[in-house]
Amino acid sequence: SHQSIVEVTYWIAEFWNTLSNLSFILCGVMGIVQAIRYRYEPRFLLIAIGITIVGFGSSAFHGTLLFEYQMADELPMIWSIMVWNYAMFLMESGTEGAKHTWTAIICASYAVIYSVSHVIFAFTTTFQLNFGLMVVISGFVLHKNCCEHTGRSFIPFVLVRRKSDTFNAAEVSNLYKLCVLYVVVLLAAFACWLTDQFGCELLYNLPFGLPNPQLHAWWHVLCGFNCHIGLQLSIGLREKVLNQSVLPHTSWKGGFFPITNRKGRSA
């Protein structure tokens, strides 16, 4: 974070970086309600809970800048992305069997081992590289799922042979739009984080007296929205796998905010 400490109020160390975590909290709580209301698999409830915890942990850290709350910020990020990777890896599988068990064990073991080592050593750069690696891995898995279930790639100029599909073309198109939106929002968020990391001095000395755009706060806002998109996308893909006779339906609130459920259910 590169926001001046106590810039807005004495009581909150980094006001905008704290406030912006409402994006995670609101999207996470919405996901929890959605998962419980529609009785989705536990994996989706865990993803939503993880998003919410990340929001509270990041708020605590940016509001205080204390080490223990830094851990409350960073460790839930690792656990959350491991749950996301678990869900994406097992998109085609049932909830039982060796593949399910071993994937869960590997993801949980990695999260535990990394959590312990991170609390002991707390290497910021190592955390960033590790989290970045998990995001890249999830990107590859997402691309695989996107190709298999929409017959299209979100990477320009990559052609995919479309599989025969009994689903409504409009709903498959919605799943593809979610894939593309997920990637675009993630890249925009990363651009905000990167610019804030390496352009801190420049952002505080903009010409014509322009204020700092608080790009780290926008990183939070966009990442919270990205997590919401990812949850809706994973629900849609999974519903497509499990319910061959029931279409996953995505409605777009305000034209940009997606909610995915089974067709015929109100969102």
Side-chain angles (χ1 to χ4, degrees):
S1 169
H2 291 279
Q3 181 179 335
S4 295
I5 298 176
V6 197
E7 184 176 292
V8 178
T9 172
Y10 174 82
W11 303 105
I12 302 175
E14 296 178 343
F15 180 81
W16 296 113
N17 292 345
T18 302
L19 182 66
S20 56
N21 282 292
L22 281 173
S23 176
F24 288 103
I25 296 170
L26 294 177
C27 288
V29 170
M30 185 182 303
I32 292 172
V33 173
Q34 182 184 12
I36 294 174
R37 179 183 179 187
Y38 296 131
R39 299 180 180 178
Y40 289 134
E41 293 172 287
R43 64 181 72 181
F44 301 117
L45 179 59
L46 289 175
I47 291 173
I49 291 173
I51 295 170
T52 309
I53 293 175
V54 167
F56 281 113
S58 183
S59 295
F61 171 57
H62 288 288
T64 64
L65 299 181
L66 297 176
F67 173 77
E68 54 267 34
Y69 293 125
Q70 180 182 353
M71 295 298 101
D73 174 16
E74 296 173 350
L75 295 184
M77 291 172 65
I78 296 298
W79 280 89
S80 295
I81 199 166
M82 294 311 294
V83 175
W84 162 258
N85 282 340
Y86 162 83
M88 297 303 286
F89 270 118
L90 295 181
M91 190 60 67
E92 299 286 350
S93 302
T95 57
E96 298 179 354
K99 183 178 180 180
H100 164 81
T101 302
W102 280 107
T103 302
I105 290 174
I106 291 171
C107 289
S109 298
Y110 182 87
V112 169
I113 293 171
Y114 183 83
S115 296
V116 173
S117 61
H118 188 54
V119 169
I120 295 173
F121 299 107
F123 294 138
T124 301
T125 302
T126 301
F127 166 77
Q128 292 171 347
L129 291 174
N130 175 76
F131 186 74
L133 176 62
M134 293 300 102
V135 171
V136 170
I137 291 174
S138 71
F140 279 111
V141 181
L142 173 62
H143 185 258
K144 173 179 176 292
N145 281 312
C146 181
C147 292
E148 289 183 356
H149 295 286
T150 71
R152 300 167 68 183
S153 168
F154 55 69
I155 301 176
F157 310 114
V158 174
L159 299 178
V160 178
R161 180 176 298 177
R162 180 178 290 277
K163 297 171 62 176
S164 60
D165 204 319
T166 58
F167 275 75
N168 183 290
E171 299 305 342
V172 172
S173 178
N174 267 329
L175 289 177
Y176 178 72
K177 289 177 183 177
L178 285 172
C179 290
V180 173
L181 184 61
Y182 178 88
V183 174
V184 169
V185 173
L186 181 61
L187 291 176
F190 181 64
C192 289
W193 180 85
L194 206 62
T195 304
D196 181 71
Q197 283 288 110
F198 297 101
C200 179
E201 295 301 324
L202 176 63
L203 293 173
Y204 270 102
N205 294 279
L206 293 174
F208 310 112
L210 293 173
N212 187 324
Q214 304 298 343
L215 292 182
H216 194 88
W218 282 109
W219 151 259
H220 289 164
V221 172
L222 291 173
C223 278
F225 183 42
N226 176 257
C227 289
H228 171 77
I229 298 167
L231 177 59
Q232 302 309 308
L233 172 60
S234 59
I235 289 173
L237 291 172
R238 185 63 173 166
E239 286 291 298
K240 182 176 181 294
V241 170
L242 294 178
N243 301 284
Q244 293 297 321
S245 62
V246 184
L247 298 177
H249 175 68
T250 302
S251 57
W252 297 84
K253 305 302 182 182
F256 74 96
F257 195 85
I259 300 291
T260 299
N261 53 39
R262 296 189 186 107
K263 196 162 188 177
R265 291 176 169 181
S266 59

